[in-house]
Amino acid sequence: MVQYLTPPLDLSFTALSDATRRGIIDQLGRGDASITSLADKFQMTLTGMKKHVQVLERAGLVVTQKVGRVRTCKLGERGLKAEAEWIEAHRKLFEARFEALDEIISEMQQEGSDD
Amino acid sequence: MVQYLTPPLDLSFTALSDATRRGIIDQLGRGDASITSLADKFQMTLTGMKKHVQVLERAGLVVTQKVGRVRTCKLGERGLKAEAEWIEAHRKLFEARFEALDEIISEMQQEGSDD
DNA sequence: TAAATACTGAACTATATGGTTCAGTATTTA
DNA sequence: TAAATACTGAACCATATAGTTCAGTATTTA
């Protein structure tokens, strides 16, 4: 059984916090891509794109390999399992707090003394 | 039907990228809490904790209400639905790229010309 | 072998994060 | 009413993001 090392959630949630990087993941889902092709697609300098890819790599979400002068990027084998697990576990936490729906509804009828 | 405004994923993934803030969500899942009690629990100054709570608030994950001199924090009604949806959709993307398992296995037998 | 291509690294800018201290203000409580 | 409590805001620090330009190096290709 192969074990992929999962970097801490800090790194992956940081990687996912930028729309361009989420777009890169979308794109790589449609096929591997070079830094240049990604830079073109997202209207950015090569250097800028390289930095985004590095953030994704650090998080283990993307792996790259340089062959000749071309660096090819693809989705990392580790996937988004750890992230999905955290989100799902905590989604239940949120829902548990609000299953007393009538409380919310009655709150809606009165004005809260908020700031 | 109540519609909760969902701030962009940028804000929520940024909020989730810090271990202290993920811990705050854990904690609020066990019950509402004041800024002071959270600051104590996470060994941080009041001001530092307030900033973390503000990041969570901006993302809609936490809501706060000040009554008297105490600001009480609780989990936001909007939950983690949007985040779960993004993660799940893209998890499938990752998996689709790797369902050709034999490719991976054969890759494991040969050395890649990596950098 | 000369030119084009693909990337890399350093340096710079502006803004955000993650924390602090210090000096307030507002609200309880004794 | 004086003191304690709970928060707030400004200012500061170090580091990270998100981008750029410019000057390389390495690899194809003509």
Side-chain angles (χ1 to χ4, degrees), chain A residues 84-97:
Chain A
E85 277 168 3
W86 193 94
I87 296 269
E88 276 312 312
H90 288 79
R91 193 137 95 96
K92 290 194 185 84
L93 245 177
F94 273 79
E95 277 159 17
R97 300 287 301 155

Side-chain angles (χ1 to χ4, degrees), chain A residues 46-99:
Chain A
L46 260 188
T47 311
M49 180 49 69
K50 188 173 190 270
K51 285 195 190 179
H52 278 306
V53 168
Q54 276 170 345
V55 173
L56 288 162
E57 246 188 311
R58 194 161 49 111
L61 298 174
V62 161
V63 294
T64 73
Q65 194 189 22
K66 192 168 185 176
V67 174
R69 63 186 170 184
V70 179
R71 180 172 295 278
T72 299
C73 309
K74 59 177 181 179
L75 294 181
E77 285 90 346
R78 80 164 185 81
L80 286 164
K81 190 159 177 282
E83 293 72 22
E85 277 168 3
W86 193 94
I87 296 269
E88 276 312 312
H90 288 79
R91 193 137 95 96
K92 290 194 185 84
L93 245 177
F94 273 79
E95 277 159 17
R97 300 287 301 155
F98 299 115
E99 60 193 13

Side-chain angles (χ1 to χ4, degrees), chain A residues 23-25 27-28 31-44 49 53 73:
Chain A
I24 293 168
I25 290 177
Q27 192 57 43
L28 295 182
D32 300 350
S34 66
I35 305 281
T36 296
S37 71
L38 290 172
D40 287 351
K41 198 98 59 182
F42 292 90
Q43 304 247 94
M44 189 176 296
M49 180 49 69
V53 168
C73 309

Side-chain angles (χ1 to χ4, degrees), chain B residues 34-36 46-47 50 66 69 71:
Chain B
S34 67
I35 305 280
T36 295
L46 260 187
T47 310
K50 188 172 191 269
K66 192 167 184 175
R69 63 185 170 183
R71 180 171 295 279

Side-chain angles (χ1 to χ4, degrees), chain B residues 23 27 30 33-44 49:
Chain B
Q27 191 57 43
R30 294 194 196 87
S34 67
I35 305 280
T36 295
S37 71
L38 290 172
D40 286 351
K41 198 96 63 183
F42 291 91
Q43 304 246 94
M44 191 177 295
M49 180 51 66

